[in-house]
Amino acid sequence: MARIFSGIQPTGQKHLGNFIGAITRYVEWQDRGEGIYCIVDLHATTVAYEPKVLRSGLYDLAALMLAAGLDPERAIFFRQSDVPEHAELQWLLTSVTAYGELQRMTQFKDKSAKQELVSAGLFTYPVLMAADVLAYRADTVPVGDDQRQHVELMRNVAERFNARFSEQLVVPEGVYPEIGARIMDLSDPGSKMSTTGSTEKGTVYVLDEPKTILKKFKSAVTDSDNEVRYAPADKPGVSNLLEILAVARGTSVAALEGEFTRYGDLKAAVGEAVVDYLAPVRERYADLRADEAQLEQTLGAGAEKARAIASEVVADVRDAMGVGPVRARV
Ligand code: AQP
């Protein structure tokens, strides 16, 4: 049975890219194997942030994921900082991570350019991400397209560890959505929809009011001809709208291409489909978000299950590295 791991940061309001590229897939995949899903609050401390906002953002995201259908009875769902083995394993793995590899990370280059203080944490962030996955010997990592380089790094780290010490770690595979792997900014379809880098007008938040969603799609950038055709390089705006519509309606892009002759009709149809697609989450969210004690209980129970796995793996890693006393085996 596959062991699936993925993490998501409790920062900002979650947008359609996070929802399609990550959250909905966690829900879909929870019956395909042993799912382990984590809100990675330690990652969020690597750039400037407010502690109170981080904590409330964590509850916002936990409620959103549960509202989207993540079931803590069928998957392990927890907060990263509740399992200290992630941070310990990160340190241990830094010894098999090359400085040059981290320097080549494009996300580090992009994010560090926006920071007044470029923290060492931001630089070593991909090692923490590697530790998140490797601590569970997960073989499958569902993520969006922007994470390919990080997944490649965690594979290198695992292979290098296994070759240098002993075969303790599973080399994971990244799995990317066939459609919607990179949802683009509606106003600037050359850039990815993102928490920190995209335009407000072109970013659709999961909890946006229906009328705001319709407005954002209505003003989406297309191009000067009038042909509704899927061609991401030539027609990024139209192709992005077709991908979003295909996901929201649960169909293929090819099935949609012949349906529209005018951009205005396509934009209206995507807006309406996205409103319907997100409606069940909006309906369930408020009640779940209102009960922080219940959210804490859910995450705490998940952390116990997660820690039972991660503590064994990290003990094996320490032992293989000669750190601490020889591991007693029962
Ligand atoms: N535009 C996107 N299309 C598809 N998938 C996306 N993801 C992010 N943007 C898109 C996927 O969402 C998951 C979790 O993301 P995260 O919030 O933990 O961090 P991120 O990837 O850094 O997301 P953002 O929103 O783009 O934040 P910033 O602006 O801080 O970089 C991941 O699986 C990601 O692939």
Side-chain angles (χ1 to χ4, degrees):
M1 186 159 82
R3 183 175 277 173
I4 305 150
F5 182 97
S6 198
I8 181 161
Q9 293 193 64
T11 43
Q13 287 190 61
K14 290 296 144 186
H15 51 74
L16 200 55
N18 302 132
F19 194 71
I20 292 174
I23 298 171
T24 52
R25 296 171 67 224
Y26 304 169
V27 176
E28 256 171 61
W29 283 62
Q30 63 193 347
D31 289 325
R32 292 198 201 167
E34 191 185 354
I36 307 177
Y37 300 110
C38 175
I39 301 185
V40 290
D41 55 344
L42 295 175
H43 283 276
T45 65
T46 59
V47 291
Y49 75 100
E50 279 302 320
K52 273 193 190 145
V53 176
L54 175 61
R55 210 166 265 136
S56 70
L58 184 124
Y59 295 130
D60 294 346
L61 179 56
L64 189 77
M65 291 168 76
L66 295 170
L70 194 73
D71 177 358
E73 298 299 319
R74 283 189 286 162
I76 299 178
F77 177 44
F78 70 106
R79 167 172 48 205
Q80 183 187 35
S81 60
D82 286 340
V83 180
E85 283 77 9
H86 289 234
E88 181 180 357
L89 186 58
Q90 178 196 18
W91 178 254
L92 296 170
L93 295 178
T94 51
S95 67
V96 285
T97 308
Y99 176 72
E101 256 171 340
L102 294 177
Q103 273 185 315
R104 287 193 289 277
M105 292 291 128
T106 53
Q107 214 172 73
F108 171 72
K109 289 183 199 163
D110 294 345
K111 289 199 172 173
S112 59
K114 294 177 199 154
Q115 296 300 311
E116 205 171 303
L117 172 86
V118 179
S119 71
L122 186 62
F123 186 65
T124 56
Y125 171 116
V127 195
L128 181 57
M129 192 171 154
D132 294 338
V133 175
L134 302 179
Y136 297 91
R137 297 195 171 112
D139 43 47
T140 305
V141 186
V143 278
D145 195 50
D146 58 338
Q147 297 299 325
R148 280 181 195 272
Q149 208 186 13
H150 288 156
V151 172
E152 213 36 57
L153 179 100
M154 71 180 71
R155 290 173 55 82
N156 290 342
V157 165
E159 279 167 2
R160 211 172 286 136
F161 182 96
N162 288 344
R164 164 76 181 84
F165 297 107
S166 62
E167 287 273 336
Q168 297 299 336
L169 300 175
V170 169
V171 181
E173 293 279 346
V175 284
Y176 309 92
E178 274 169 35
I179 36 175
R182 185 175 283 258
I183 299 297
M184 308 307 273
D185 182 333
L186 302 185
S187 298
D188 174 16
S191 313
K192 147 187 125 127
M193 194 177 285
S194 85
T195 311
T196 54
S198 57
T199 64
E200 188 61 25
K201 236 176 108 185
T203 305
V204 176
Y205 299 106
V206 178
L207 297 175
D208 268 347
E209 293 286 336
K211 66 174 184 322
T212 309
I213 297 178
L214 294 174
K215 201 168 147 205
K216 285 178 176 173
F217 279 102
K218 201 171 168 198
S219 56
V221 165
T222 44
D223 53 44
S224 54
D225 70 38
N226 233 330
E227 204 188 347
V228 177
R229 176 168 61 86
Y230 185 72
D234 301 342
K235 299 173 78 68
V238 174
S239 303
N240 190 39
L241 293 175
L242 284 169
E243 284 204 33
I244 296 171
L245 183 58
V247 173
R249 283 199 190 159
T251 184
S252 68
V253 169
L256 295 171
E257 272 179 311
E259 189 180 324
F260 301 95
T261 47
R262 294 202 329 223
Y263 288 164
D265 295 343
L266 171 65
K267 291 190 209 181
V270 193
E272 279 156 27
V274 169
V275 167
D276 291 347
Y277 178 59
L278 297 176
V281 185
R282 280 176 59 78
E283 275 159 29
R284 290 192 284 254
Y285 176 78
D287 284 349
L288 289 159
R289 178 63 183 87
D291 195 347
E292 290 185 2
Q294 180 58 50
L295 292 171
E296 275 299 341
Q297 207 184 332
T298 301
L299 293 169
E304 256 179 58
K305 294 184 213 162
R307 204 163 180 200
I309 303 170
S311 60
E312 288 296 313
V313 176
V314 175
D316 285 342
V317 166
R318 286 164 60 99
D319 195 40
M321 292 179 76
V323 171
V326 173
R327 185 166 191 220
R329 290 180 192 276
V330 279

PDB file of all heavy atoms in Angstrom, residues 92-122:
ATOM      1  N   LEU A  92      19.935  16.270  11.009  1.00  0.00           N
ATOM      2  CA  LEU A  92      20.740  15.099  10.634  1.00  0.00           C
ATOM      3  C   LEU A  92      20.966  15.065   9.119  1.00  0.00           C
ATOM      4  O   LEU A  92      22.056  14.727   8.644  1.00  0.00           O
ATOM      5  CB  LEU A  92      20.066  13.813  11.118  1.00  0.00           C
ATOM      6  CG  LEU A  92      19.943  13.683  12.655  1.00  0.00           C
ATOM      7  CD1 LEU A  92      19.050  12.510  13.027  1.00  0.00           C
ATOM      8  CD2 LEU A  92      21.317  13.535  13.319  1.00  0.00           C
ATOM      9  N   LEU A  93      19.926  15.451   8.356  1.00  0.00           N
ATOM     10  CA  LEU A  93      20.036  15.375   6.890  1.00  0.00           C
ATOM     11  C   LEU A  93      20.860  16.515   6.286  1.00  0.00           C
ATOM     12  O   LEU A  93      21.304  16.410   5.140  1.00  0.00           O
ATOM     13  CB  LEU A  93      18.635  15.361   6.250  1.00  0.00           C
ATOM     14  CG  LEU A  93      17.781  14.129   6.566  1.00  0.00           C
ATOM     15  CD1 LEU A  93      16.404  14.261   5.916  1.00  0.00           C
ATOM     16  CD2 LEU A  93      18.456  12.828   6.104  1.00  0.00           C
ATOM     17  N   THR A  94      21.073  17.573   7.045  1.00  0.00           N
ATOM     18  CA  THR A  94      21.901  18.667   6.479  1.00  0.00           C
ATOM     19  C   THR A  94      23.302  18.145   6.161  1.00  0.00           C
ATOM     20  O   THR A  94      23.979  18.687   5.290  1.00  0.00           O
ATOM     21  CB  THR A  94      22.011  19.894   7.421  1.00  0.00           C
ATOM     22  OG1 THR A  94      22.401  19.451   8.696  1.00  0.00           O
ATOM     23  CG2 THR A  94      20.722  20.666   7.490  1.00  0.00           C
ATOM     24  N   SER A  95      23.717  17.083   6.847  1.00  0.00           N
ATOM     25  CA  SER A  95      25.074  16.572   6.599  1.00  0.00           C
ATOM     26  C   SER A  95      25.178  15.809   5.267  1.00  0.00           C
ATOM     27  O   SER A  95      26.281  15.550   4.800  1.00  0.00           O
ATOM     28  CB  SER A  95      25.530  15.676   7.757  1.00  0.00           C
ATOM     29  OG  SER A  95      24.736  14.529   7.773  1.00  0.00           O
ATOM     30  N   VAL A  96      24.039  15.455   4.682  1.00  0.00           N
ATOM     31  CA  VAL A  96      24.086  14.819   3.350  1.00  0.00           C
ATOM     32  C   VAL A  96      23.426  15.711   2.290  1.00  0.00           C
ATOM     33  O   VAL A  96      23.021  15.244   1.227  1.00  0.00           O
ATOM     34  CB  VAL A  96      23.471  13.388   3.338  1.00  0.00           C
ATOM     35  CG1 VAL A  96      24.391  12.379   3.978  1.00  0.00           C
ATOM     36  CG2 VAL A  96      22.092  13.369   3.980  1.00  0.00           C
ATOM     37  N   THR A  97      23.309  16.993   2.604  1.00  0.00           N
ATOM     38  CA  THR A  97      22.762  17.953   1.628  1.00  0.00           C
ATOM     39  C   THR A  97      23.894  18.893   1.222  1.00  0.00           C
ATOM     40  O   THR A  97      24.601  19.419   2.088  1.00  0.00           O
ATOM     41  CB  THR A  97      21.624  18.793   2.272  1.00  0.00           C
ATOM     42  OG1 THR A  97      20.683  17.915   2.857  1.00  0.00           O
ATOM     43  CG2 THR A  97      20.942  19.679   1.238  1.00  0.00           C
ATOM     44  N   ALA A  98      24.051  19.090  -0.081  1.00  0.00           N
ATOM     45  CA  ALA A  98      25.144  19.969  -0.537  1.00  0.00           C
ATOM     46  C   ALA A  98      24.704  21.434  -0.492  1.00  0.00           C
ATOM     47  O   ALA A  98      23.573  21.764  -0.849  1.00  0.00           O
ATOM     48  CB  ALA A  98      25.548  19.597  -1.956  1.00  0.00           C
ATOM     49  N   TYR A  99      25.614  22.279  -0.048  1.00  0.00           N
ATOM     50  CA  TYR A  99      25.370  23.721  -0.005  1.00  0.00           C
ATOM     51  C   TYR A  99      24.978  24.229  -1.401  1.00  0.00           C
ATOM     52  O   TYR A  99      24.024  24.999  -1.557  1.00  0.00           O
ATOM     53  CB  TYR A  99      26.662  24.375   0.500  1.00  0.00           C
ATOM     54  CG  TYR A  99      26.681  25.863   0.527  1.00  0.00           C
ATOM     55  CD1 TYR A  99      25.939  26.560   1.477  1.00  0.00           C
ATOM     56  CD2 TYR A  99      27.472  26.586  -0.369  1.00  0.00           C
ATOM     57  CE1 TYR A  99      25.963  27.948   1.509  1.00  0.00           C
ATOM     58  CE2 TYR A  99      27.502  27.962  -0.336  1.00  0.00           C
ATOM     59  CZ  TYR A  99      26.740  28.635   0.595  1.00  0.00           C
ATOM     60  OH  TYR A  99      26.770  30.003   0.629  1.00  0.00           O
ATOM     61  N   GLY A 100      25.695  23.743  -2.421  1.00  0.00           N
ATOM     62  CA  GLY A 100      25.434  24.184  -3.799  1.00  0.00           C
ATOM     63  C   GLY A 100      24.028  23.819  -4.265  1.00  0.00           C
ATOM     64  O   GLY A 100      23.384  24.579  -4.993  1.00  0.00           O
ATOM     65  N   GLU A 101      23.547  22.656  -3.811  1.00  0.00           N
ATOM     66  CA  GLU A 101      22.190  22.230  -4.178  1.00  0.00           C
ATOM     67  C   GLU A 101      21.160  23.228  -3.652  1.00  0.00           C
ATOM     68  O   GLU A 101      20.218  23.585  -4.354  1.00  0.00           O
ATOM     69  CB  GLU A 101      21.892  20.900  -3.457  1.00  0.00           C
ATOM     70  CG  GLU A 101      21.941  19.677  -4.279  1.00  0.00           C
ATOM     71  CD  GLU A 101      21.843  18.403  -3.413  1.00  0.00           C
ATOM     72  OE1 GLU A 101      22.106  18.410  -2.182  1.00  0.00           O
ATOM     73  OE2 GLU A 101      21.503  17.390  -3.998  1.00  0.00           O
ATOM     74  N   LEU A 102      21.362  23.650  -2.416  1.00  0.00           N
ATOM     75  CA  LEU A 102      20.413  24.596  -1.820  1.00  0.00           C
ATOM     76  C   LEU A 102      20.506  25.947  -2.512  1.00  0.00           C
ATOM     77  O   LEU A 102      19.491  26.629  -2.703  1.00  0.00           O
ATOM     78  CB  LEU A 102      20.680  24.747  -0.315  1.00  0.00           C
ATOM     79  CG  LEU A 102      20.412  23.490   0.517  1.00  0.00           C
ATOM     80  CD1 LEU A 102      20.780  23.723   1.979  1.00  0.00           C
ATOM     81  CD2 LEU A 102      18.940  23.082   0.421  1.00  0.00           C
ATOM     82  N   GLN A 103      21.710  26.327  -2.911  1.00  0.00           N
ATOM     83  CA  GLN A 103      21.878  27.619  -3.604  1.00  0.00           C
ATOM     84  C   GLN A 103      21.129  27.649  -4.932  1.00  0.00           C
ATOM     85  O   GLN A 103      20.743  28.703  -5.398  1.00  0.00           O
ATOM     86  CB  GLN A 103      23.356  27.848  -3.904  1.00  0.00           C
ATOM     87  CG  GLN A 103      24.112  28.501  -2.780  1.00  0.00           C
ATOM     88  CD  GLN A 103      25.528  28.788  -3.218  1.00  0.00           C
ATOM     89  OE1 GLN A 103      26.176  27.920  -3.830  1.00  0.00           O
ATOM     90  NE2 GLN A 103      26.007  29.957  -2.923  1.00  0.00           N
ATOM     91  N   ARG A 104      20.928  26.473  -5.531  1.00  0.00           N
ATOM     92  CA  ARG A 104      20.260  26.437  -6.841  1.00  0.00           C
ATOM     93  C   ARG A 104      18.729  26.456  -6.762  1.00  0.00           C
ATOM     94  O   ARG A 104      18.059  26.521  -7.779  1.00  0.00           O
ATOM     95  CB  ARG A 104      20.698  25.174  -7.609  1.00  0.00           C
ATOM     96  CG  ARG A 104      22.123  25.249  -8.135  1.00  0.00           C
ATOM     97  CD  ARG A 104      22.402  24.154  -9.137  1.00  0.00           C
ATOM     98  NE  ARG A 104      22.470  22.848  -8.520  1.00  0.00           N
ATOM     99  CZ  ARG A 104      23.543  22.334  -7.912  1.00  0.00           C
ATOM    100  NH1 ARG A 104      24.657  23.045  -7.833  1.00  0.00           N
ATOM    101  NH2 ARG A 104      23.517  21.127  -7.381  1.00  0.00           N
ATOM    102  N   MET A 105      18.180  26.405  -5.561  1.00  0.00           N
ATOM    103  CA  MET A 105      16.714  26.341  -5.429  1.00  0.00           C
ATOM    104  C   MET A 105      16.073  27.649  -5.898  1.00  0.00           C
ATOM    105  O   MET A 105      16.332  28.721  -5.327  1.00  0.00           O
ATOM    106  CB  MET A 105      16.315  26.096  -3.952  1.00  0.00           C
ATOM    107  CG  MET A 105      16.700  24.743  -3.436  1.00  0.00           C
ATOM    108  SD  MET A 105      15.704  23.448  -4.234  1.00  0.00           S
ATOM    109  CE  MET A 105      17.010  22.372  -4.775  1.00  0.00           C
ATOM    110  N   THR A 106      15.227  27.564  -6.914  1.00  0.00           N
ATOM    111  CA  THR A 106      14.644  28.802  -7.463  1.00  0.00           C
ATOM    112  C   THR A 106      13.693  29.452  -6.461  1.00  0.00           C
ATOM    113  O   THR A 106      13.593  30.670  -6.403  1.00  0.00           O
ATOM    114  CB  THR A 106      13.896  28.541  -8.784  1.00  0.00           C
ATOM    115  OG1 THR A 106      12.970  27.498  -8.549  1.00  0.00           O
ATOM    116  CG2 THR A 106      14.831  28.134  -9.898  1.00  0.00           C
ATOM    117  N   GLN A 107      13.012  28.629  -5.654  1.00  0.00           N
ATOM    118  CA  GLN A 107      12.095  29.238  -4.692  1.00  0.00           C
ATOM    119  C   GLN A 107      12.872  30.067  -3.664  1.00  0.00           C
ATOM    120  O   GLN A 107      12.412  31.119  -3.227  1.00  0.00           O
ATOM    121  CB  GLN A 107      11.242  28.169  -4.004  1.00  0.00           C
ATOM    122  CG  GLN A 107       9.858  28.698  -3.701  1.00  0.00           C
ATOM    123  CD  GLN A 107       8.904  27.644  -3.194  1.00  0.00           C
ATOM    124  OE1 GLN A 107       9.010  27.183  -2.061  1.00  0.00           O
ATOM    125  NE2 GLN A 107       7.957  27.247  -4.024  1.00  0.00           N
ATOM    126  N   PHE A 108      14.065  29.599  -3.287  1.00  0.00           N
ATOM    127  CA  PHE A 108      14.897  30.383  -2.365  1.00  0.00           C
ATOM    128  C   PHE A 108      15.286  31.705  -3.019  1.00  0.00           C
ATOM    129  O   PHE A 108      15.208  32.767  -2.399  1.00  0.00           O
ATOM    130  CB  PHE A 108      16.152  29.597  -1.946  1.00  0.00           C
ATOM    131  CG  PHE A 108      17.120  30.449  -1.171  1.00  0.00           C
ATOM    132  CD1 PHE A 108      16.833  30.836   0.135  1.00  0.00           C
ATOM    133  CD2 PHE A 108      18.299  30.900  -1.753  1.00  0.00           C
ATOM    134  CE1 PHE A 108      17.702  31.668   0.844  1.00  0.00           C
ATOM    135  CE2 PHE A 108      19.172  31.721  -1.050  1.00  0.00           C
ATOM    136  CZ  PHE A 108      18.877  32.102   0.249  1.00  0.00           C
ATOM    137  N   LYS A 109      15.669  31.624  -4.281  1.00  0.00           N
ATOM    138  CA  LYS A 109      16.076  32.868  -4.973  1.00  0.00           C
ATOM    139  C   LYS A 109      14.908  33.859  -5.010  1.00  0.00           C
ATOM    140  O   LYS A 109      15.067  35.029  -4.705  1.00  0.00           O
ATOM    141  CB  LYS A 109      16.553  32.558  -6.393  1.00  0.00           C
ATOM    142  CG  LYS A 109      17.895  31.837  -6.414  1.00  0.00           C
ATOM    143  CD  LYS A 109      18.339  31.617  -7.851  1.00  0.00           C
ATOM    144  CE  LYS A 109      19.393  30.545  -7.943  1.00  0.00           C
ATOM    145  NZ  LYS A 109      19.572  30.019  -9.281  1.00  0.00           N
ATOM    146  N   ASP A 110      13.706  33.355  -5.369  1.00  0.00           N
ATOM    147  CA  ASP A 110      12.536  34.247  -5.462  1.00  0.00           C
ATOM    148  C   ASP A 110      12.174  34.826  -4.103  1.00  0.00           C
ATOM    149  O   ASP A 110      11.954  36.016  -3.968  1.00  0.00           O
ATOM    150  CB  ASP A 110      11.293  33.477  -5.965  1.00  0.00           C
ATOM    151  CG  ASP A 110      11.472  33.017  -7.393  1.00  0.00           C
ATOM    152  OD1 ASP A 110      12.389  33.518  -8.065  1.00  0.00           O
ATOM    153  OD2 ASP A 110      10.680  32.140  -7.833  1.00  0.00           O
ATOM    154  N   LYS A 111      12.105  33.956  -3.105  1.00  0.00           N
ATOM    155  CA  LYS A 111      11.609  34.421  -1.804  1.00  0.00           C
ATOM    156  C   LYS A 111      12.641  35.294  -1.095  1.00  0.00           C
ATOM    157  O   LYS A 111      12.278  36.252  -0.422  1.00  0.00           O
ATOM    158  CB  LYS A 111      11.202  33.243  -0.921  1.00  0.00           C
ATOM    159  CG  LYS A 111       9.933  32.576  -1.419  1.00  0.00           C
ATOM    160  CD  LYS A 111       9.228  31.724  -0.395  1.00  0.00           C
ATOM    161  CE  LYS A 111       7.889  31.279  -0.962  1.00  0.00           C
ATOM    162  NZ  LYS A 111       7.187  30.320  -0.142  1.00  0.00           N
ATOM    163  N   SER A 112      13.927  34.969  -1.233  1.00  0.00           N
ATOM    164  CA  SER A 112      14.943  35.756  -0.516  1.00  0.00           C
ATOM    165  C   SER A 112      15.010  37.176  -1.068  1.00  0.00           C
ATOM    166  O   SER A 112      15.285  38.120  -0.338  1.00  0.00           O
ATOM    167  CB  SER A 112      16.304  35.069  -0.552  1.00  0.00           C
ATOM    168  OG  SER A 112      16.722  34.897  -1.881  1.00  0.00           O
ATOM    169  N   ALA A 113      14.682  37.337  -2.357  1.00  0.00           N
ATOM    170  CA  ALA A 113      14.725  38.674  -2.954  1.00  0.00           C
ATOM    171  C   ALA A 113      13.688  39.603  -2.309  1.00  0.00           C
ATOM    172  O   ALA A 113      13.828  40.814  -2.356  1.00  0.00           O
ATOM    173  CB  ALA A 113      14.466  38.573  -4.456  1.00  0.00           C
ATOM    174  N   LYS A 114      12.653  38.990  -1.676  1.00  0.00           N
ATOM    175  CA  LYS A 114      11.581  39.819  -1.098  1.00  0.00           C
ATOM    176  C   LYS A 114      11.778  40.054   0.400  1.00  0.00           C
ATOM    177  O   LYS A 114      10.949  40.673   1.045  1.00  0.00           O
ATOM    178  CB  LYS A 114      10.233  39.108  -1.293  1.00  0.00           C
ATOM    179  CG  LYS A 114       9.813  38.980  -2.743  1.00  0.00           C
ATOM    180  CD  LYS A 114       8.507  38.206  -2.821  1.00  0.00           C
ATOM    181  CE  LYS A 114       8.280  37.662  -4.209  1.00  0.00           C
ATOM    182  NZ  LYS A 114       7.444  36.485  -4.244  1.00  0.00           N
ATOM    183  N   GLN A 115      12.848  39.509   0.987  1.00  0.00           N
ATOM    184  CA  GLN A 115      13.014  39.585   2.445  1.00  0.00           C
ATOM    185  C   GLN A 115      14.055  40.616   2.856  1.00  0.00           C
ATOM    186  O   GLN A 115      15.111  40.705   2.238  1.00  0.00           O
ATOM    187  CB  GLN A 115      13.465  38.213   3.000  1.00  0.00           C
ATOM    188  CG  GLN A 115      12.469  37.104   2.812  1.00  0.00           C
ATOM    189  CD  GLN A 115      11.142  37.404   3.490  1.00  0.00           C
ATOM    190  OE1 GLN A 115      11.099  37.785   4.648  1.00  0.00           O
ATOM    191  NE2 GLN A 115      10.059  37.237   2.743  1.00  0.00           N
ATOM    192  N   GLU A 116      13.748  41.320   3.943  1.00  0.00           N
ATOM    193  CA  GLU A 116      14.751  42.244   4.504  1.00  0.00           C
ATOM    194  C   GLU A 116      15.857  41.420   5.166  1.00  0.00           C
ATOM    195  O   GLU A 116      17.033  41.650   4.956  1.00  0.00           O
ATOM    196  CB  GLU A 116      14.055  43.116   5.542  1.00  0.00           C
ATOM    197  CG  GLU A 116      14.725  44.442   5.759  1.00  0.00           C
ATOM    198  CD  GLU A 116      13.845  45.321   6.623  1.00  0.00           C
ATOM    199  OE1 GLU A 116      12.674  45.554   6.225  1.00  0.00           O
ATOM    200  OE2 GLU A 116      14.322  45.702   7.694  1.00  0.00           O
ATOM    201  N   LEU A 117      15.444  40.445   5.976  1.00  0.00           N
ATOM    202  CA  LEU A 117      16.414  39.514   6.575  1.00  0.00           C
ATOM    203  C   LEU A 117      16.268  38.177   5.855  1.00  0.00           C
ATOM    204  O   LEU A 117      15.205  37.549   5.940  1.00  0.00           O
ATOM    205  CB  LEU A 117      16.116  39.310   8.070  1.00  0.00           C
ATOM    206  CG  LEU A 117      16.961  38.210   8.710  1.00  0.00           C
ATOM    207  CD1 LEU A 117      18.307  38.748   9.185  1.00  0.00           C
ATOM    208  CD2 LEU A 117      16.240  37.548   9.863  1.00  0.00           C
ATOM    209  N   VAL A 118      17.306  37.760   5.151  1.00  0.00           N
ATOM    210  CA  VAL A 118      17.262  36.440   4.508  1.00  0.00           C
ATOM    211  C   VAL A 118      17.745  35.439   5.555  1.00  0.00           C
ATOM    212  O   VAL A 118      18.931  35.374   5.867  1.00  0.00           O
ATOM    213  CB  VAL A 118      18.130  36.399   3.236  1.00  0.00           C
ATOM    214  CG1 VAL A 118      18.081  35.019   2.605  1.00  0.00           C
ATOM    215  CG2 VAL A 118      17.682  37.461   2.253  1.00  0.00           C
ATOM    216  N   SER A 119      16.813  34.696   6.138  1.00  0.00           N
ATOM    217  CA  SER A 119      17.170  33.818   7.260  1.00  0.00           C
ATOM    218  C   SER A 119      17.862  32.556   6.758  1.00  0.00           C
ATOM    219  O   SER A 119      17.615  32.102   5.622  1.00  0.00           O
ATOM    220  CB  SER A 119      15.912  33.442   8.053  1.00  0.00           C
ATOM    221  OG  SER A 119      15.117  32.554   7.309  1.00  0.00           O
ATOM    222  N   ALA A 120      18.692  31.982   7.641  1.00  0.00           N
ATOM    223  CA  ALA A 120      19.315  30.695   7.307  1.00  0.00           C
ATOM    224  C   ALA A 120      18.218  29.644   7.153  1.00  0.00           C
ATOM    225  O   ALA A 120      18.343  28.695   6.376  1.00  0.00           O
ATOM    226  CB  ALA A 120      20.305  30.304   8.395  1.00  0.00           C
ATOM    227  N   GLY A 121      17.109  29.829   7.894  1.00  0.00           N
ATOM    228  CA  GLY A 121      15.973  28.897   7.804  1.00  0.00           C
ATOM    229  C   GLY A 121      15.385  28.859   6.400  1.00  0.00           C
ATOM    230  O   GLY A 121      15.002  27.800   5.910  1.00  0.00           O
ATOM    231  N   LEU A 122      15.326  30.024   5.754  1.00  0.00           N
ATOM    232  CA  LEU A 122      14.777  30.056   4.393  1.00  0.00           C
ATOM    233  C   LEU A 122      15.689  29.276   3.447  1.00  0.00           C
ATOM    234  O   LEU A 122      15.233  28.605   2.530  1.00  0.00           O
ATOM    235  CB  LEU A 122      14.629  31.517   3.925  1.00  0.00           C
ATOM    236  CG  LEU A 122      13.932  31.710   2.583  1.00  0.00           C
ATOM    237  CD1 LEU A 122      12.497  31.193   2.617  1.00  0.00           C
ATOM    238  CD2 LEU A 122      13.927  33.189   2.183  1.00  0.00           C
TER     239      LEU A 122
END
